[in-house]
Amino acid sequence: MQAASALASQRRSIDPTTLAVLKGRLEEIAAEMDATLVRSAFNPIIAEAHDCAHGLYDAETGETLVQGKNGLPVFVGTMAFATKAVIERAKRDGDLGPGDVYVMNDPYDGGTHINDVKLLQPLFRDGQVFCWLASVGHWLDMGGNVAGNYNPRAVELAQEGFWLPVVKLAHRGVLRQDIIDIMLANTRLPQMAFGDLQAQLNALRVGQARMTELLDQTGDETVATVFAELKERASRMMRHHFAALPDGTYSADDYLDNDGSSDEPIRIALDLTIRGEEVTLDFSRSSPECAGPLNTARSTSIASCYVAIKHLFPDVIANSGVLEPITFVMPEGSIVNVRAPRPTGGYTETNLRIVDVVFQAFAQATPERASACAYGTISALALAGRRPNGARWVMFSFHGGGHGAHPAGDGLNHGNAPLSMATMPPLEITEANYPVMYRQWALRPDSGGPGQHRGGLGAIYEIEVLDGPVDLTLFCDRGKYPPPGVVGGGPAARGRYTYVKDGVTHQLPLTTKVVGVSLNRGDRVRLESPGGGGYGPPERRDAARVERDRRDGYVMEAGR
Amino acid sequence: MSGPATIVGVDVGGTFTDLFFLDAGAGRYATAKVATTLENQANGIVQGVMSRGTEIGGIATIVHGTTTATNALLERKGARIGLIATRGFRDVLEMRRRDRPKTFGLTGSFEPVVPRHMRLEVTERVLADGSVHTPLDRDEVVAAARQLVAEGAQAICLCFINSYANDAHEREALDAVKAVFPDLYVQRSSEILPEIREFERTSTTALNAYLQPVVSRYFDRLEGSLRDQGFGGRVLIVQSNGGVMTVETASRLPVRTALSGPAAGVIAASAIAKAAGYPNVITGDMGGTSFDVSLVANGEAAVRAQTAIEFGLVIRTPMIDIHTIGAGGGSIAQVDAGGLLKVGPESAGSNPGPACYGLGNEHPTVTDANVVMGRINAERPIGGKLKRLDVEAARAAIERHVARPLGLDVMAAAEAIVDVANAQMAGAIRLVSIEKGYDPRDFAGMPFGGGGALHAGALMLDVGLKCSIVPRFPGITSALGCVIADMRQDAVQTVNLVLGSADLSALGERLGTLAQDGRALVEASGVAFESVDTLVEFDMAYVGQSHTIVVEAGADPASVTEADIGAAFDRVYADKYGQTLPGLAKRIINLRVITIGRRPKFDLMVLAPQGDVTVEGARLGSRPVWFGGRWYETAIYARLDLPVGAVIEGPAILEQPDTTILVEPDLTTLVDPFGNIILSRGT
């Protein structure tokens, strides 16, 4: 037997029934891996927020073959690069065999940031790698000088936390305890990390078993042909969509508030060129890489473009074929193609801005498919302290905001970030686990961008500390540059982030980012997240909708 | 037919109201099918009950599976209601868990069942440990209630933060509202669902309040209409968990009837399969727009803790785990821009219905493919609504929308449509079996609903099921289930106790109270039971995990030790995940107490074919049917006229008024002593 890609190259054509049937079977397998990790994980970012993904990847190129429907969308593209890195490493190591597992969190090779721990395992068929299975999940703490690792002041990776290059975690099914010991020694929450590691191994175990069953039942060659065929069809559909758009170049510039170190805006600029069935996404006019952790690896930037395009063309099959008709221009050393050892901890903000410029550029080419920009910041909050018995606790959460309005209607109130399917832990679970009390958990009036269709509302979260001292870190954005509307729709409200210490309200020194504030009992932190942008001119809004917005308090100030 | 022991099961569907009459003492049964009266379902039910010339005064019990709640939710036809929340938290219902409907495409929207101006806040706050941080302002509660009533609220729900840990404020607020509005429907979340997770608790409570005025009015009307006709017995309602409750309880907790109808079907299927010697069965109910799958292991239907009726409409109460996919007879087949054949989830429903109905839909459906392949008798459509089906219209639709785009001939295209639909249904079966750790080879399949038996053989072969059982009356399975179902009450309480530090005596006390309450409720129903049983379960996890596993603790909570609970947890965890994590602390999150009143069982043998019937007598003739790329001249039989023990080799088609059973060429069927058709691989 051989690698799926090699088998597919000698393939015969596949009948439409088998193709449709096996596509469903393969997606089920990835979905079951997602579910296994979510159910058995220990940290709430995976268990409650579903910040994880699973998929099948090409034996030689690492390209995405299949991804689960419930995994974090942005991981689909980045895992392909991580798999490629593992494939290279395994070649150097030699002696790859069944039951081997590699682990990594290298943000340059695999994309994203150090909290995303990736486990990769070859699926062997008769002595050869058929494809790779991968599991990625967001671990709560990787050491470094800020619990939860969203450190806006970091200027090199070593300050963010523990850097794990590609190493072998298991050899022929036997875990290497020395690697595990090193990993657990470098986190504030070793017990939780151990639980999450086991949960990811559970997911790989399930994937191995299900894939083996499927291959035994259907034949390796058939499945390999399906992989190739699905990729080809995704690219065909993508080309079909691009061909329907008017040729031309469409530009969009947007900004991040700052890099966490100095208060200078960072530009994300896109020139989208459509020529027939192909497009070029050129980010050359974007800012150079920055001192702070707002950099992203090229792999992650490409993955963000992939997610944005899938949002605009949701019927295209999710695999690497989507990227085939797209040329990316991302100069090395720019904000979207960072070099080591620049920090990447806040990569999510930059990736969300990439999604925003893709939306804005395509809106010019195809208003009938346009989505206004969503809230554009994950608004990461970390609170960390000690229990009365001295044990560490770290409460870490991402916050929601409004989705952009679109041709069919208003944006969704309080949705999750476009890059993610993460849900938010119930506040009652948070209160049961940490010495905090929510004062408010509410929709934020007037935060949606005005338009014929209004942007969705952001949210207000106010949290009081019940037992200090507690270290506060906030890593947010969109405090200076609001989420834009499209097709004549207005911008949403900017994010507003404050804390109250000893009764005095403080703005954040860098508008949206702060670290090193110590809060005590009774002190509070307040997040007011942005809404989504509007769609279409506000004067075209239906009068009944305007009246309803007023009556329900979605809009309190005239003109919003 | 009637007698003091007569029980009537009634299932109201979108088109028909099905009834099953059982006189257990005399060993007799009857069935009836009348048109559903959509305006007031009670009229159709009364007509149905009277339709067999039954002496209504002799009916002891009418058991009802209802879709009133489901429809009110899906069509957003519940009551205008108000919600009173803790200050700062009126938007919990609308903010959900910060999710979105679809992974790709940011075009979702959500309308909560309580509009924002009908959600008000009052001063109060309880902390996670149950201690009071801010006392309740009773005057604000009264003012809020007045405002909501002035705005037209027919019901009010009280949803305070952390009320699962201490319900005193919600109780006090409820008293305050009741003192001013004694006749208003008022509910508190700590009674509907005393479980941690504010969105799920609020949503369940709000949906209950939204349904209560509508559903309880319906039940009142139904009882009134029946009493007017001289009915003197009891009305019981089927819950989503597969048990029945009194009509009074159902009026108080209508949210528990969201899956009433489908649950009754699963209960019947499990009883029929168990009697036939198959305690492990996977049921598949195929209707016009959807395919509902459930798994029954050792005679017990799988139950899940929560479900979403649609995006954001979350109900957290134990329900039979029914997995629904959009694959039914009316599901539309199409080829997408990438050249991929897709079936569903868009459906032509029953109106306009498949292309062969000739009512205006020109897109090919699964039914059209079955008609073109000769599998459905175009001259005698089931249901009796249409005289005949238009085969040519079905062919034309398949030719245009599937065959040509895929470069296939019409017959190959028709077969591809059915194969893809079968694959989706098989996927749903694998999801409830393999993915939950069950081996399909240990299970029989049981199709019911109008379309299931056409696909049973293919699903059995694809998934690797042991065999398939087609019950004698697949079209009235839910009505039969009403007659069979036991009474059941579920109670839950969040406790958050770490093993080792848990005060087990207090735990035993709480369990005792929950068990006593459950038993009292069941016994107060006045229904005759063979026994009343209590089951205790713990939702448990390692400390730090938030997803729990269900650990059964036996029937006698008083004698349970910590070591027992820990060991039981280890067994379940290892079974699920292949390992345990020694050294980590374990926590009991919730207590669950289930009270079951076991109703007397009736002998399903009464359903068996009676009288002098023969295989030859059942033979209706033959017609060409398409299987695996060619036509077979296929024998046709009248299913209900086949005698016990009859063996029919495939290819064959067995017809009956409410379904068509397809026997593929390599399959064989046997009529078992209960009159079920057992479909298996040929010998």
Side-chain angles (χ1 to χ4, degrees):
Chain A
M1 280 299 149
Q2 311 166 49
S5 47
L7 278 176
S9 62
Q10 13 165 307
R11 79 196 143 100
R12 296 163 307 227
S13 71
I14 190 159
D15 68 278
T17 311
T18 308
L19 181 65
V21 168
L22 290 181
K23 171 177 181 276
R25 285 287 297 275
L26 291 164
E27 285 170 358
E28 275 168 31
I29 291 172
E32 194 184 351
M33 293 173 75
D34 284 339
T36 302
L37 173 57
V38 164
R39 284 195 306 256
S40 57
F42 275 67
N43 98 64
I45 301 291
I46 299 175
E48 294 288 344
H50 306 173
D51 194 342
C52 61
H54 296 85
L56 308 174
Y57 299 86
D58 188 276
E60 276 151 26
T61 64
E63 282 181 341
T64 305
L65 300 170
V66 174
Q67 193 204 7
K69 283 182 179 159
N70 304 312
L72 205 64
V74 72
F75 284 145
V76 70
T78 57
M79 283 309 289
F81 293 89
T83 309
K84 182 71 186 159
V86 169
I87 291 168
E88 297 301 323
R89 172 70 194 222
K91 270 188 200 149
R92 288 203 303 278
D93 285 353
D95 194 23
L96 185 68
D100 290 359
V101 177
Y102 277 87
V103 65
M104 67 183 291
N105 78 346
D106 186 314
Y108 309 105
D109 253 355
T112 69
H113 58 172
I114 54 168
N115 292 83
D116 294 332
V117 175
K118 298 159 176 113
L119 268 58
L120 299 101
Q121 181 170 41
L123 175 72
F124 270 83
R125 297 291 290 175
D126 294 340
Q128 291 235 24
V129 180
F130 181 79
C131 66
W132 286 81
L133 301 167
S135 168
V136 51
H138 181 128
W139 286 24
L140 199 44
D141 186 82
M142 302 299 290
N145 61 353
V146 170
N149 313 93
Y150 260 74
N151 176 8
R153 289 245 180 252
V155 293
E156 58 180 337
L157 189 85
Q159 296 169 348
E160 300 194 293
F162 171 45
W163 185 353
L164 187 65
V166 179
V167 292
K168 203 182 240 190
L169 176 69
H171 184 74
R172 304 297 187 270
V174 181
L175 288 169
R176 289 180 52 184
Q177 191 59 43
D178 50 356
I179 301 285
I180 295 178
D181 289 345
I182 294 169
M183 292 172 70
L184 300 188
N186 281 280
T187 166
R188 293 176 179 83
L189 304 164
Q191 194 165 310
M192 185 174 271
F194 176 72
D196 289 339
L197 182 67
Q198 296 300 331
Q200 285 187 271
L201 290 166
N202 288 345
L204 288 179
R205 200 158 30 231
V206 163
Q208 283 277 342
R210 296 292 178 264
M211 267 310 282
T212 303
E213 236 167 60
L214 178 70
L215 291 169
D216 287 349
Q217 207 179 0
T218 329
D220 297 18
E221 197 175 327
T222 309
V223 174
T225 307
V226 167
F227 286 151
E229 190 69 28
L230 289 176
K231 182 183 165 194
E232 197 177 303
R233 276 159 199 260
S235 97
R236 203 189 306 163
M237 285 177 86
M238 211 58 256
R239 285 176 172 275
H240 168 87
H241 283 308
F242 289 153
L245 306 179
D247 281 3
T249 296
Y250 309 90
S251 298
D253 293 17
D254 207 336
Y255 296 87
L256 293 157
D257 292 342
N258 54 54
D259 72 352
S261 296
S262 63
D263 204 4
E264 291 299 315
I266 299 168
R267 185 171 67 239
I268 308 293
L270 168 63
D271 299 307
L272 159 70
T273 301
I274 302 174
R275 287 272 177 279
E277 297 186 330
E278 300 190 350
V279 308
T280 300
L281 299 179
D282 182 345
F283 287 88
S284 301
R285 295 188 297 107
S286 303
S287 294
E289 55 193 359
C290 61
L294 274 294
N295 300 294
T296 91
R298 183 170 190 270
S299 56
T300 323
S301 301
I302 291 175
S304 309
C305 295
Y306 165 90
V307 173
I309 287 170
K310 274 285 291 160
H311 280 309
L312 298 172
F313 305 95
D315 60 332
V316 181
I317 307 165
N319 65 48
S320 60
V322 170
L323 301 175
E324 186 273 332
I326 306 174
T327 305
F328 293 96
V329 181
M330 296 172 172
E332 199 182 357
S334 73
I335 190 82
V336 296
N337 185 358
V338 67
R339 294 165 297 188
R342 298 266 188 172
T344 66
Y347 83 102
T348 43
E349 308 303 286
T350 312
N351 284 3
L352 289 168
R353 211 59 73 248
I354 291 174
V355 172
D356 290 338
V357 293
V358 173
F359 278 10
Q360 291 168 67
F362 272 98
Q364 299 164 41
T366 171
E368 65 281 6
R369 274 188 183 270
S371 231
C373 296
Y375 58 107
T377 168
I378 62 160
S379 305
L381 164 72
L383 295 172
R386 289 189 185 276
R387 310 267 179 204
N389 68 4
R392 272 277 193 184
W393 61 268
V394 179
M395 170 186 151
F396 185 81
S397 42
F398 302 133
H399 295 80
H403 280 186
H406 48 85
D410 293 349
L412 182 69
N413 293 336
H414 196 237
N416 44 18
L419 293 169
S420 130
M421 281 300 280
T423 57
M424 196 150 177
L427 71 95
E428 287 180 346
I429 289 202
T430 304
E431 290 192 358
N433 288 341
Y434 308 109
V436 298
M437 175 180 88
Y438 280 83
R439 281 285 183 175
Q440 197 176 357
W441 170 286
L443 292 176
R444 182 182 171 205
D446 297 324
S447 57
Q452 179 184 356
H453 297 145
R454 178 178 44 71
L457 300 187
I460 301 169
Y461 314 88
E462 187 172 318
I463 302 164
E464 180 172 324
V465 172
L466 294 179
D467 188 20
V470 168
D471 291 329
L472 164 70
T473 309
L474 268 173
F475 199 125
C476 315
D477 205 81
R478 285 289 190 206
K480 293 182 181 168
Y481 304 91
V486 294
V487 199
R494 294 173 186 84
R496 191 155 54 191
Y497 305 90
T498 52
Y499 63 93
V500 178
K501 191 171 159 66
D502 302 326
V504 180
T505 301
H506 297 262
Q507 311 291 327
L508 307 192
L510 285 169
T511 315
T512 47
K513 298 170 185 70
V514 73
V515 65
V517 172
S518 179
L519 300 180
N520 287 303
R521 183 183 166 82
D523 292 345
R524 301 180 192 179
V525 55
R526 183 175 170 94
L527 295 83
E528 296 173 61
S529 68
Y535 179 95
E539 56 274 18
R540 280 209 215 135
R541 187 161 179 80
D542 178 49
R545 304 292 295 180
V546 172
E547 169 54 22
R548 204 202 113 165
D549 282 347
R550 190 202 55 75
R551 184 171 163 82
D552 277 325
Y554 295 132
V555 177
M556 322 258 293
E557 286 170 30
R560 274 233 61 98
Chain B
M1 189 193 82
S2 75
T6 298
I7 301 176
V8 183
V10 186
D11 178 61
V12 180
T15 316
F16 294 110
T17 296
D18 297 319
L19 297 98
F20 185 88
F21 298 75
L22 175 76
D23 180 344
R28 286 180 307 182
Y29 75 95
T31 65
K33 206 180 222 357
V34 298
T36 293
T37 48
L38 287 174
E39 284 307 297
N40 178 4
Q41 296 182 2
N43 295 341
I45 294 176
V46 172
Q47 276 167 32
V49 170
M50 312 289 283
S51 69
R52 305 291 300 194
T54 302
E55 188 59 53
I56 198 167
I59 297 174
T61 314
I62 292 176
V63 189
H64 180 22
T66 173
T67 50
T68 312
T70 326
N71 293 343
L73 290 176
L74 292 178
E75 296 166 15
R76 296 297 179 105
K77 288 186 177 159
R80 182 165 172 80
I81 62 169
L83 183 150
I84 301 178
T86 305
R87 185 159 309 288
F89 299 92
R90 71 163 165 163
D91 289 329
V92 162
L93 187 69
E94 188 164 354
M95 290 166 74
R96 314 170 311 284
R97 292 277 302 279
R98 190 202 57 193
D99 47 359
R100 69 170 177 261
K102 289 173 293 183
T103 305
F104 292 113
L106 296 176
T107 53
S109 63
F110 173 63
E111 291 283 335
V113 296
V114 193
R116 193 161 188 258
H117 68 272
M118 296 292 281
R119 306 193 304 254
L120 303 179
E121 295 175 351
V122 296
T123 303
E124 76 86 33
R125 189 66 154 93
V126 168
L127 298 182
D129 63 1
S131 62
V132 172
H133 178 276
T134 308
L136 177 72
D137 187 324
R138 209 182 151 101
D139 295 340
E140 285 185 16
V141 173
V142 172
R146 285 191 198 282
Q147 185 181 334
L148 292 172
V149 169
E151 289 272 6
Q154 294 170 272
I156 288 179
C157 51
L158 305 160
C159 303
F160 294 168
I161 296 298
N162 291 326
S163 66
Y164 73 90
N166 178 355
D167 62 10
H169 282 183
E170 281 192 3
R171 281 174 181 276
E172 196 184 335
L174 188 136
D175 289 345
V177 177
K178 276 287 189 189
V180 185
F181 300 105
D183 298 325
L184 191 72
Y185 295 108
V186 190
Q187 314 191 319
R188 56 182 172 92
S189 74
S190 49
E191 184 186 355
I192 305 294
L193 183 71
E195 192 177 336
I196 190 167
R197 287 172 198 253
E198 70 287 348
F199 168 67
E200 288 78 355
R201 189 173 67 249
T202 301
S203 177
T204 305
T205 307
L207 292 179
N208 198 62
Y210 182 66
L211 291 172
Q212 191 173 28
V214 175
V215 173
S216 66
R217 199 182 313 132
Y218 164 64
F219 288 148
D220 282 351
R221 261 197 323 238
L222 173 63
E223 266 204 309
S225 308
L226 289 167
R227 303 249 178 261
D228 289 348
Q229 300 294 329
F231 173 66
R234 293 179 180 283
V235 177
L236 301 178
I237 304 297
V238 181
Q239 309 176 58
S240 313
N241 65 16
V244 300
M245 56 184 161
T246 62
V247 71
E248 293 79 18
T249 309
S251 294
R252 194 165 53 81
L253 297 169
V255 77
R256 294 193 180 182
T257 66
L259 295 178
S260 170
V266 176
I267 292 304
S270 89
I272 292 167
K274 197 173 173 185
Y278 299 94
N280 294 329
V281 65
I282 295 169
T283 69
D285 180 358
M286 187 185 187
T289 57
S290 66
F291 180 67
D292 295 343
V293 192
S294 277
L295 179 132
V296 177
N298 291 319
E300 296 287 332
V303 167
R304 71 172 151 188
Q306 122 179 14
T307 200
I309 298 295
E310 59 181 43
F311 175 70
L313 292 189
V314 170
I315 295 176
R316 189 164 172 86
T317 154
M319 304 196 193
I320 291 202
D321 191 353
I322 297 172
H323 180 68
T324 299
I325 60 166
S331 293
I332 291 173
Q334 55 185 319
V335 177
D336 70 19
L340 206 63
L341 174 61
K342 280 175 42 183
V343 178
E346 297 80 15
S347 169
S350 61
N351 193 3
C356 62
Y357 281 19
L359 299 175
N361 167 41
E362 286 169 6
H363 292 273
T365 66
V366 174
T367 295
D368 291 310
N370 277 317
V371 166
V372 165
M373 289 193 285
R375 296 176 176 188
I376 287 177
N377 186 346
E379 299 305 320
R380 225 175 325 154
I382 64 168
K385 224 170 62 174
L386 295 163
K387 286 246 182 304
R388 59 180 301 280
L389 304 175
D390 186 344
V391 184
E392 279 317 305
R395 284 184 68 89
I398 294 173
E399 166 75 41
R400 178 161 168 218
H401 293 284
V402 177
R404 250 183 270 154
L406 289 180
L408 298 172
D409 65 44
V410 172
M411 294 315 298
E415 195 160 1
I417 292 171
V418 169
D419 286 350
V420 168
N422 282 341
Q424 290 173 5
M425 292 190 267
I429 292 178
R430 274 190 295 269
L431 199 77
V432 303
S433 56
I434 301 175
E435 296 193 7
K436 302 268 166 75
Y438 295 101
D439 185 340
R441 285 169 298 193
D442 300 335
F443 286 77
M446 181 176 290
F448 59 95
L454 276 167
H455 302 268
L459 295 181
M460 176 181 98
L461 295 174
D462 184 336
V463 185
L465 300 167
K466 195 192 286 185
C467 64
S468 263
I469 309 167
V470 185
R472 188 153 168 84
F473 300 108
I476 57 146
T477 311
S478 290
L480 178 61
C482 293
V483 173
I484 295 173
D486 286 320
M487 181 163 281
R488 172 172 167 148
Q489 284 303 328
D490 288 297
V492 62
Q493 175 67 56
T494 295
V495 290
N496 269 334
L497 292 174
V498 176
L499 276 197
S501 68
D503 179 352
L504 270 194
S505 63
L507 189 67
E509 212 166 284
R510 290 176 98 155
L511 284 171
T513 310
L514 288 176
Q516 234 166 32
D517 293 350
R519 184 170 280 265
L521 199 59
V522 165
E523 284 173 349
S525 68
V527 174
F529 298 113
E530 283 181 339
S531 64
V532 177
D533 302 336
T534 303
L535 304 176
V536 175
E537 294 173 353
F538 300 130
D539 292 346
M540 293 183 66
Y542 286 113
V543 171
Q545 283 181 319
S546 59
H547 290 264
T548 56
I549 56 175
V550 176
V551 177
E552 291 176 13
D556 182 14
S559 66
V560 174
T561 66
E562 286 200 44
D564 290 346
I565 299 172
F569 174 85
D570 284 348
R571 276 195 302 277
V572 179
Y573 198 90
D575 195 38
K576 225 175 166 69
Y577 298 115
Q579 58 171 349
T580 57
L581 305 174
L584 297 190
K586 298 156 193 167
R587 171 146 61 181
I588 302 174
I589 316 264
N590 297 318
L591 312 177
R592 293 185 182 277
V593 173
I594 302 155
T595 312
I596 299 179
R598 310 247 177 228
R599 290 165 64 201
K601 291 293 163 276
F602 82 88
D603 189 349
L604 284 163
M605 201 64 94
V606 304
L607 300 179
Q610 309 283 327
D612 194 14
V613 287
T614 62
V615 173
E616 295 71 37
R619 173 103 189 214
L620 296 173
S622 70
R623 70 168 180 259
V625 177
W626 185 270
F627 291 105
R630 72 179 183 92
W631 293 101
Y632 287 76
E633 191 59 26
T634 300
I636 314 292
Y637 293 89
R639 185 259 166 105
L640 294 177
D641 295 341
L642 288 170
V644 170
V647 173
I648 309 283
E649 304 285 346
I653 283 187
L654 318 183
E655 294 182 350
Q656 66 185 100
D658 55 0
T659 197
T660 303
I661 304 167
L662 183 73
V663 189
E664 267 99 337
D666 294 329
L667 302 185
T668 183
T669 67
L670 166 75
V671 180
D672 82 352
F674 297 90
N676 302 310
I677 298 280
I678 311 289
L679 194 59
S680 57
R681 288 166 193 79
T683 43

